[in-house]
């Protein structure tokens, strides 16, 4: 971390960083994305519960996409950090697949864990899931009373 980056990170409200990760579209590599998700959410001072929710949501979104991915291609993930929010877009190449089903259990898990979730099919051979998670405004380090 450079001095400039460290200074910018201290003023969290002004952060707008974008991190992109490309890795093989295989479940063996999802731990890399879970780790990156946790690290980036911690950078925004998300609570431990918010970090875990986001890790699970990213994992679930990737699992849904990997079912449709062309073997041997890449999965790309883009993390956009803006103040108190993280936007995550995960995308794979597909063979003419439609958008993920919004009435199955996996989609319900995603919508419960993230603040906003959307499926995007910009072209017939690409599929993406975009989710957003905002840092809660009521943070407390104290345990239950």
């Amino acid at each position: 971390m450079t001095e400039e980056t460290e200074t910018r990170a201290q003023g969290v409200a002004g952060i707008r960083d974008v991190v992109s990760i490309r890795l093989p579209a295989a479940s063996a590599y999802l731990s890399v994305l879970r780790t990156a998700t946790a690290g980036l959410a911690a950078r925004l001072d998300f609570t431990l519960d918010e970090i875990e929710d986001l890790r699970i949501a990213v994992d679930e979104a990737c699992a849904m996409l990997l079912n449709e991915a062309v073997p041997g291609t890449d999965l790309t993930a883009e993390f956009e950090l803006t103040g108190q929010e993280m936007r995550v877009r995960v995308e794979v190449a597909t063979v003419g697949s439609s958008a993920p089903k919004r009435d199955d259990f996996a989609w319900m898990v995603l919508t419960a864990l993230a603040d906003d979730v959307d499926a995007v099919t910009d072209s017939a051979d690409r599929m993406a899931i975009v989710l957003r998670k905002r840092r809660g405004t009521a943070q407390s380090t104290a345990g239950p009373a």
Side-chain angles (χ1 to χ4, degrees), residues 5 8-9 14-19 40 43 79-83:
T5 307
R8 206 170 30 145
I15 289 178
R16 190 204 173 273
D17 290 335
V18 177
V19 176
L40 293 170
R43 178 173 161 76
F79 299 85
E80 183 179 353
L81 291 67
T82 54

Side-chain angles (χ1 to χ4, degrees), residues 1 5-6 8-10 12 15 17 38-46 51 81 83 135:
M1 180 181 271
T5 307
E6 187 174 332
R8 206 170 30 145
Q10 291 173 357
V12 174
I15 289 178
D17 290 335
L40 293 170
R43 178 173 161 76
L44 293 178
D45 293 326
F46 278 35
I51 291 170
L81 291 67
R135 187 178 70 191

Side-chain angles (χ1 to χ4, degrees), residues 76-88:
T76 57
E78 182 178 273
F79 299 85
E80 183 179 353
L81 291 67
T82 54
Q84 297 185 16
E85 179 180 275
M86 183 186 300
R87 176 188 165 272
V88 183

Side-chain angles (χ1 to χ4, degrees), residues 2-3 6-7 26 31 37 40 42 44-45 52 58 70 78 88 97 100 103 106 110 122 126-127 141:
T2 66
E3 188 174 312
E6 187 174 332
T7 303
S31 63
T37 300
L40 293 170
L44 293 178
D45 293 326
E52 190 59 23
V58 168
V70 174
E78 182 178 273
V88 183
S97 297
D103 61 350
L110 278 177
D122 295 333
R126 303 287 303 167
M127 183 186 304
T141 57

